[in-house]
Amino acid sequence: MSGWSHRHVLDLAAFSREDFAAVLELAHRFRSLPVTGARKLPALQGRLVASLFFEPSTRTRSSFELAAKRLSADVQSFSPSSSSLSKGESVLDTARTYVAMGADVLVVRHRSTGVPEQLASALDQAGDRTVVLNGGDGLHSHPSQGLLDLYTLARYFDPAHPLPEVLQGKRVAIVGDILHSRVARSNLWALTACGVDVVLCGPPSLVPAAFAQFVEEPPPGQALDPVPHRGRITVERTLEQALPGADAVMTLRLQKERMGQQLLTTLNRYHQDFGLTRDRLALCGADVPVLHPGPVNRGVEMASEVLDDSAICLVEEQVRNGVPIRMALLYLMAAADSSLVSINS
Ligand code: CP
């Protein structure tokens, strides 16, 4: 897999279109291989993946662990509540403990923005070979979710060739709590890199107008944007403005745990204004796929009639695709870490 240059994976702002293509192409190969049960791939044999989730997770944690096991890695899980964090050990010292046990990859989720980056820099400064994969940090970034959403959309539009080019010129509406969403931020970098025009929709308290400029400058600490031409971002305040012409709709969980103040009058009111129903989706002009990263607040972001309709709702497909996407990331990072190993089915 020549051309892969990311030692750590912290943020999709640093990904070129070729990087997205490399991950999607590899994930697609992994998805088509029969690697359940005893039929594992030997690619990461002898490697240790430590799953350091300082914040709760169902999908990301389980699918990273499953992905690592399917590549024959050893997996070390960590539970904050029963760890020495409760005795005052720091996050960095906790991570270093797993490095001392031989971890090759740390998958890190933390409620505070920047923690995976801080750990990566501390490891780099110490000359450690261990790499860091961001499993979601604060409001900042959730790269593996952005990649699995990209793959899910590409597969929907072209199941045989689910690569970035099939998304060029598409229009994706992202509805809801953009302000508190690391998933939205990762999707903005990923989708615009692949030539998708994104329409953000929500009230000003959840979708500040400045998000229209979100990808105009690379984030602090990154000198250049590796993508020469990105899709456009626009902001709309109503579904009636945002949905016509959309090729896909993504709705996001209201991040109640991240809202510092009461931003919404009631969840019912939110559902009335921004909840996806069949009638609302008809505004798109044709049947379009609906995505949600999960977990879903059923009846808030979308009605059960949408969530339970597998013909249009791709939520479970997103979960399924999370495993090959995370296999691809672990493979690329472990290969970048030392020698490239071959995929043997
Ligand atoms: N989408 C997502 O990150 O879900 P989890 O919090 O369950 O990992």
Side-chain angles (χ1 to χ4, degrees):
M1 197 59 60
S2 65
W4 183 258
S5 60
H6 302 279
R7 186 171 129 68
H8 308 287
V9 170
L10 303 169
D11 186 355
L12 297 182
F15 272 40
S16 65
R17 200 187 269 221
E18 292 71 30
D19 293 327
F20 288 110
V23 176
L24 266 56
E25 194 268 333
L26 192 50
H28 197 54
R29 286 163 67 194
F30 284 135
R31 197 184 192 276
S32 60
L33 291 174
V35 285
T36 52
R39 298 200 56 174
K40 293 177 180 170
L41 300 172
L44 297 189
Q45 215 154 38
R47 303 288 169 86
L48 175 60
V49 175
S51 152
L52 305 185
F53 279 66
F54 297 91
E55 185 191 71
S57 164
T58 298
R59 281 148 281 268
T60 313
R61 178 180 184 150
S62 302
S63 58
F64 262 122
E65 293 180 1
L66 192 53
K69 286 175 190 167
R70 287 188 177 171
L71 293 172
S72 303
D74 292 327
V75 177
Q76 187 64 60
S77 291
F78 157 80
S79 168
S81 59
S82 59
S83 76
S84 290
L85 282 175
S86 57
K87 301 176 198 164
E89 189 164 38
S90 71
V91 169
L92 177 57
D93 288 340
T94 301
R96 296 205 62 82
T97 301
Y98 285 89
V99 172
M101 284 190 265
D104 298 283
V105 182
L106 303 180
V107 182
V108 179
R109 170 173 287 192
H110 200 282
R111 66 192 296 274
S112 299
T113 290
V115 167
E117 196 169 350
Q118 286 159 20
L119 294 181
S121 317
L123 294 173
D124 289 347
Q125 278 167 24
D128 281 314
R129 63 184 170 72
T130 309
V131 299
V132 176
L133 223 168
N134 184 357
D137 64 321
L139 309 184
H140 169 230
S141 181
H142 193 344
S144 62
Q145 182 72 45
L147 288 163
L148 76 88
D149 292 341
L150 196 70
Y151 178 53
T152 301
L153 279 170
R155 255 192 115 247
Y156 179 86
F157 291 115
D158 190 342
H161 302 99
L163 293 172
E165 52 264 33
V166 308
L167 298 172
Q168 179 71 42
K170 300 282 188 209
R171 179 180 163 101
V172 174
I174 306 183
V175 180
D177 187 359
I178 313 294
L179 180 63
H180 299 95
S181 175
R182 57 195 175 208
V183 174
R185 287 171 173 82
S186 285
N187 266 290
L188 286 174
W189 289 114
L191 292 169
T192 59
C194 299
V196 174
D197 290 329
V198 180
V199 187
L200 302 176
C201 179
S205 57
L206 298 180
V207 189
F211 267 96
Q213 286 86 48
F214 184 72
V215 297
E216 284 183 8
E217 298 287 338
Q222 183 180 317
L224 295 173
D225 186 345
V227 178
H229 304 291
R230 291 185 175 272
R232 289 183 61 230
I233 302 174
T234 49
V235 173
E236 299 288 1
R237 296 293 172 215
T238 67
L239 291 176
E240 286 68 24
Q241 292 167 310
L243 295 190
D247 296 295
V249 183
M250 181 181 298
T251 179
L252 299 171
R253 186 171 67 89
L254 286 186
Q255 311 267 311
K256 287 177 278 186
E257 74 278 20
R258 292 190 222 287
M259 293 181 182
Q261 50 187 313
Q262 188 56 40
L263 296 172
L264 301 158
T265 23
T266 63
L267 296 180
N268 281 345
R269 178 64 202 269
Y270 178 85
H271 183 68
Q272 274 169 30
D273 290 344
F274 297 103
L276 294 184
T277 60
R278 285 202 156 282
D279 286 348
R280 287 258 170 75
L281 285 170
L283 291 166
C284 297
D287 273 355
V288 299
V290 176
L291 292 87
H292 188 303
V296 179
N297 295 307
R298 186 178 275 269
V300 179
E301 296 100 43
M302 66 173 116
S304 289
E305 63 180 7
V306 176
L307 183 58
D308 296 332
D309 183 351
S310 60
I312 53 166
C313 183
L314 301 185
V315 168
E316 289 183 9
E317 180 69 0
Q318 287 170 272
V319 174
R320 261 190 293 280
N321 290 336
V323 177
I325 281 289
R326 288 167 176 130
M327 288 172 78
L329 283 172
L330 289 169
Y331 182 95
L332 288 164
M333 293 177 72
D337 185 35
S338 63
S339 61
L340 181 64
V341 283
S342 61
I343 305 175
N344 298 312
S345 54

